[in-house]
Amino acid sequence: MVTADLLANAVVAGLLLGGFYAAVAIGLAIIFGQLDIVNIAHPAFIIAGAYTAYILNSRFGIDPVLIGVLAAPLFFLAGAGIYRVYYGAFERTGQESLSGLAFFFGLMFIIEVVLILVYGVDYRLVQAGYIGESWRIGFVDLPFRMLVPFVVAVALTAGIYLYLARTFTGRAIQAVAQDRLALQLMGVNPIRVKQWAFGLGIATAAIAGALLIIIGPVEPSVGRQYIGRAFAIVVLGGMGSISGMFIAALILGIVESLVNTFMGPSWAPAVAFGVLLLTLALRPSGLFGR
Amino acid sequence: MANSLSIEGVRAGYGAVQVLEGISLAVRDGETVALLGTNGAGKSTLMKAVMGIVTPSAGRIAAVIDDVEHDLVGKTPEEVVDLGIALVPEGRRLFPKLTVQENLLMGASRRAARGRIDENLAFCFETFPVLAERRGQLAGSMSGGEQQMLALARAIMTAPKILLIDEPSVGLAPIFVARTVEKIAELKRRFGLTVLMAEQNFTQAIKIADRGYVIVHGHIEFEGESRESMQNNDMIRRLYLGM
Ligand SMILES: Nc1ncnc2c1ncn2[C@@H]1O[C@H](COP(=O)(O)OP(=O)(O)OP(=O)(O)O)[C@@H](O)[C@H]1O
Ligand SMILES: [Mg+2]
């Protein structure tokens, strides 16, 4: 039965979920959408972010969102270092397509295996005062464990959007995939720009990971569920458009939530690909390709 | 302060293909020098060699910027640009998915250009009113002529002392060619630039060039010390003026 309150709750829950998906996909919107690097390890970095939040939260009781923000600079450095290796080993010699993919696949495996060896396959979670709370507006439920990630994700998306649009480095990040030589003719070193952008993309994984573990318990292999979704969102959003990515994330969240409510949870994983295939059939450049 | 470019005995090419077979030319302070040559003569290759995009196998390329001499061979394009040398490249190479204004701001990336961003942007909009009207439009959706204007303006945004322009007339209607050439002269006057311009359109190029060179199969075939000597040269009359 489709009732008004069931529908309203499903849409609102989907909106909140979609906001979180934006935080998951935004790093990939930079790394895959702008730089054309197929970083399938991105969700694994998000899991690493979630475990960082778990470790510091369980040991010191620090708020998980704060941990995400504090860990971001470290993730940035790790990302910049990884890009250096990737560039030196694959991109410089033009082998990025297949060997590069294997590189990120390997990285994903390493992160997962290390987490399993150290922490096992048990689900881990964080404590924060707001996690069990919720608001109720009319008949619509707003659980804080979804609302907080939504708000943080919106802030993150707005911040990255403004950074890319308003700063010299941000515009250079947009330019580097469009015409590398032209960027050099502007006096800018494209490798440095890509390194910075890759670092930035990985830094967002620290925050997305903290949000993930606020929403629910996490074990090392849950990242895999997000690979398809994150890539689908970036493609739907028009490859590299941050606003497009954000709207695509919201749409995916809402559709998934509706399917979950009215058809059952077993359908939900198929939603990302269903929406992706349908959109690409109708609009090959994604919803917001420019 | 003086800005000049000197190229001596440069050989360069692509892999096994030798294109430039020992080119020597000079652009003195404040000059506009035309580099004439038919398709495949090596004009673009020479410009790429100056910019560090192709590496010469022999010869010397040096630039004097504000009275200081720099050896350009072995520098990356971004290092050459950072000295104050800009190239408007063949094919324009705009950032198609950035707007007109964003393209212009990209030009001002280097530190020395950032301080003059407002002044230079205002000047570009004043000189090319169409860019001001279209500032929010994606560069890729501009017409060929508008794109050429944008490419020129973007190079100006890098605040260069020496400007290399690779065939500004290509793909433009005659009226647009004349207008573009006038704009180049205007930019040069306003910023006191030293200019090297590759062209196939002799009649337009000679309007603003002080003198020029003719390049044939990677050699300098003729060096004209003045506008008159260019116009009276037999080879130029034959190749470019159909006489
Ligand atoms: N990237 C490249 N790889 C191999 N050969 C090249 C490359 N670019 C140019 N060439 C060759 O070098 C020669 C000179 O080319 P270049 O572009 O310098 O000529 P040009 O004088 O600029 O001609 P046009 O007026 O047609 O632009 C040509 O024979 C061309 O085929
Ligand atoms: Mg050429």
Side-chain angles (χ1 to χ4, degrees):
Chain A
M1 252 302 279
V2 179
T3 59
D5 67 336
L6 206 56
L7 186 66
N9 270 300
V11 170
V12 170
L15 202 66
L16 297 182
L17 181 68
F20 163 66
Y21 284 171
V24 170
I26 196 162
L28 215 51
I30 297 170
I31 291 172
F32 177 55
Q34 308 271 15
L35 309 182
D36 281 330
I37 299 174
V38 188
N39 173 23
I40 52 171
H42 196 71
F45 284 103
I46 293 176
I47 301 303
Y51 271 79
T52 308
Y54 156 68
I55 295 161
L56 295 179
N57 177 267
S58 61
R59 196 156 303 167
F60 305 110
I62 309 173
D63 179 81
V65 174
L66 183 62
I67 297 170
V69 173
L70 294 176
L74 290 177
F75 275 60
F76 177 93
L77 292 178
I82 288 164
Y83 177 74
R84 268 284 138 178
V85 175
Y86 170 76
Y87 172 75
F90 309 110
E91 211 175 60
R92 195 160 46 101
T93 51
Q95 296 176 308
E96 62 263 38
S97 40
L98 206 59
S99 316
L101 196 63
F103 172 73
F104 288 113
F105 202 75
L107 213 55
M108 179 179 96
F109 248 79
I110 291 169
I111 294 173
E112 241 183 73
V113 168
V114 167
L115 288 175
I116 289 174
L117 286 177
V118 179
Y119 299 101
V121 293
D122 301 334
Y123 277 91
R124 307 286 171 170
L125 42 80
V126 288
Q127 314 284 339
Y130 47 80
I131 285 178
E133 305 281 310
S134 78
W135 272 339
R136 210 175 156 76
I137 299 173
F139 48 74
V140 176
D141 252 331
L142 290 171
F144 280 18
R145 66 171 186 85
M146 297 303 293
L147 191 60
V148 169
F150 177 82
V151 170
V152 174
V154 168
L156 177 66
T157 306
I160 297 279
Y161 177 85
L162 290 175
Y163 179 77
L164 290 177
R166 300 278 169 85
T167 67
F168 280 100
T169 313
R171 284 187 292 264
I173 291 172
Q174 297 186 61
V176 72
Q178 293 178 40
D179 194 330
R180 205 189 127 101
L181 176 63
L183 188 64
Q184 291 181 284
L185 291 175
M186 307 292 102
V188 180
N189 179 334
I191 305 307
R192 258 198 239 152
V193 168
K194 288 182 116 178
Q195 186 178 1
W196 185 272
F198 198 94
L200 187 67
I202 298 300
T204 67
I207 296 171
L211 304 184
L212 175 67
I213 202 165
I214 290 172
I215 290 176
V218 169
E219 55 94 13
S221 69
V222 296
R224 295 182 188 184
Q225 299 168 16
Y226 291 95
I227 298 175
R229 282 193 187 106
F231 276 92
I233 289 167
V234 173
V235 175
L236 281 174
M239 292 294 287
S241 154
I242 299 298
S243 47
M245 178 287 300
F246 185 67
I247 294 171
L250 294 186
I251 290 174
L252 191 67
I254 292 170
V255 174
E256 249 184 46
S257 173
L258 289 173
V259 168
N260 201 4
T261 306
F262 298 107
M263 293 170 72
S266 52
W267 285 91
V271 167
F273 293 103
V275 173
L276 183 64
L277 286 178
L278 201 67
T279 311
L280 291 186
L282 301 173
R283 266 190 67 99
S285 58
L287 290 172
F288 309 96
R290 73 174 189 181
Chain B
M1 281 191 279
N3 301 290
S4 63
L5 182 67
S6 85
I7 296 166
E8 287 162 29
V10 164
R11 302 174 153 272
Y14 306 90
V17 187
Q18 186 83 2
V19 176
L20 304 180
E21 316 253 16
I23 295 262
S24 297
L25 67 76
V27 188
R28 298 187 287 255
D29 184 41
E31 275 188 328
T32 299
V33 170
L35 181 63
L36 299 159
T38 50
N39 293 115
K43 304 181 296 295
S44 299
T45 306
L46 183 63
M47 300 217 151
K48 288 185 210 164
V50 173
M51 297 308 295
I53 300 167
V54 302
T55 311
S57 54
R60 195 171 159 324
I61 305 177
V64 173
I65 306 282
D66 290 341
D67 296 334
V68 181
E69 191 176 41
H70 302 271
D71 194 349
L72 301 188
V73 175
K75 288 203 160 43
T76 63
E78 52 270 31
E79 286 166 345
V80 174
V81 171
D82 208 29
L83 290 174
I85 304 175
L87 169 67
V88 180
E90 185 163 47
R92 293 152 191 146
R93 305 201 77 143
L94 299 170
F95 302 108
K97 294 182 192 169
L98 294 186
T99 64
V100 168
Q101 174 141 344
E102 286 167 340
N103 267 273
L104 292 172
L105 291 175
M106 280 309 304
S109 294
R110 74 187 193 97
R111 197 138 300 176
R114 287 193 197 182
R116 266 178 275 162
I117 217 166
D118 294 332
E119 180 193 339
N120 285 351
L121 197 62
F123 173 78
C124 286
F125 282 155
E126 180 193 314
T127 313
F128 305 107
V130 65
L131 300 184
E133 284 162 33
R134 303 287 172 86
R135 69 179 80 191
Q137 187 176 328
L138 296 186
S141 66
M142 305 269 283
S143 80
E146 291 163 350
Q147 290 193 11
Q148 187 62 53
M149 306 278 165
L150 180 53
L152 263 171
R154 188 182 62 172
I156 290 300
M157 291 299 292
T158 70
K161 301 290 163 83
I162 299 176
L163 181 61
L164 313 185
I165 311 174
D166 198 345
E167 294 201 54
S169 74
V170 87
L172 300 188
I175 170 85
F176 257 114
V177 177
R179 227 182 274 165
T180 306
V181 164
E182 279 162 28
K183 292 291 183 194
I184 292 169
E186 193 179 331
L187 296 176
K188 182 209 136 87
R189 271 197 308 277
R190 162 74 194 253
F191 292 98
L193 299 172
T194 298
V195 178
L196 177 63
M197 178 171 74
E199 252 306 340
Q200 301 207 36
N201 187 330
F202 175 77
T203 333
Q204 291 298 334
I206 204 64
K207 278 192 197 163
I208 63 164
D210 298 305
R211 56 192 189 88
Y213 296 83
V214 178
I215 178 172
V216 178
H217 294 310
H219 296 277
I220 298 291
E221 280 286 329
F222 172 71
E223 177 178 353
E225 264 310 319
S226 67
R227 208 167 286 174
E228 293 70 38
S229 72
M230 301 284 294
Q231 273 154 336
N232 296 330
N233 176 262
D234 282 341
M235 185 177 52
I236 289 181
R237 292 163 75 94
R238 198 165 22 92
L239 285 177
Y240 294 101
L241 303 174
M243 289 194 250

